[in-house]
Amino acid sequence: MEDVFENFTASVTRAYKYISQIKKHESLTFGIKGIHVMSMIYLNKYKDGLTVSELASFCLEDKAAVSRNLDSLEDMGYVRFTGSDAGKRRGRRAVLTLEGRKKAEEIDKVVESIVGKIRDGLTDQEEMIFYKVFSRINDNFSKYMKDIG
């Protein structure tokens, strides 16, 4: 148990690097960048669209990065903005265009395949326990960060 911190940190970092590499590799086949993947996934789940703030919250990214990401997706024809004020983005919702939905469906299929491969060898119970424990660890991190200000 003496190397718990080192093992945990190395494992999380290694997993994050794998996720980043997979996003980068797979996104190239779709003609988008890895940073667009999560936005496309969430926008496909929320058919009525999401505000920049909502999407930033889901993606765990800052609003400025999400806004730039959406600008890029808009330029590619995958996203459009809805709302009453054409001049401002505040409060407007980003929604996938028909082309964006098609692309997002392709991404979802690839993600489903990858997740299936990552689950290989795990029982449903083991997977459930893993997510429960990992969620509790993240909650404890959150509490710690609140405690230190």
Side-chain angles (χ1 to χ4, degrees):
M1 292 291 283
E2 60 191 43
D3 295 331
V4 171
F5 177 76
E6 294 90 341
N7 289 336
F8 178 80
T9 303
S11 294
V12 170
T13 301
R14 195 166 134 219
Y16 181 76
K17 287 184 178 191
Y18 285 137
I19 291 167
S20 295
Q21 289 171 353
I22 290 168
K23 280 185 194 177
K24 183 178 180 181
H25 177 266
E26 295 298 335
S27 65
L28 292 175
T29 64
F30 298 116
I32 61 173
K33 294 181 180 178
I35 61 170
H36 299 130
V37 172
M38 293 311 297
S39 292
M40 298 286 286
I41 289 170
Y42 282 116
L43 288 172
N44 198 39
K45 286 184 182 199
Y46 294 87
K47 308 298 185 197
D48 292 332
L50 294 167
T51 64
V52 169
S53 294
E54 291 168 335
L55 189 56
S57 177
F58 286 130
C59 293
L60 303 174
E61 297 284 346
D62 68 81
K63 288 189 272 187
V66 170
S67 184
R68 287 189 302 272
N69 181 15
L70 290 173
D71 286 342
S72 179
L73 289 170
E74 183 181 34
D75 291 344
M76 289 184 254
Y78 296 137
V79 167
R80 65 180 173 80
F81 288 90
T82 63
S84 59
D85 191 349
K88 296 180 182 176
R89 289 237 174 113
R90 177 174 232 122
R92 292 175 59 201
R93 302 185 85 68
V95 295
L96 291 175
T97 62
L98 181 59
E99 285 301 310
R101 289 224 181 278
K102 290 178 186 175
K103 190 66 68 176
E105 292 297 330
E106 292 176 43
I107 292 168
D108 283 347
K109 287 178 186 172
V110 170
V111 167
E112 207 172 295
S113 171
I114 293 168
V115 169
K117 291 174 184 172
I118 292 167
R119 286 180 177 148
D120 188 39
L122 292 176
T123 66
D124 290 344
Q125 184 179 11
E126 288 171 327
E127 184 179 3
M128 183 185 72
I129 290 168
F130 168 77
Y131 286 116
K132 184 176 180 178
V133 170
F134 199 64
S135 181
R136 185 170 301 151
I137 289 169
N138 275 309
D139 289 345
N140 290 341
F141 273 129
S142 178
K143 287 177 192 173
Y144 178 79
M145 294 307 296
K146 285 178 185 172
D147 288 346
I148 66 171

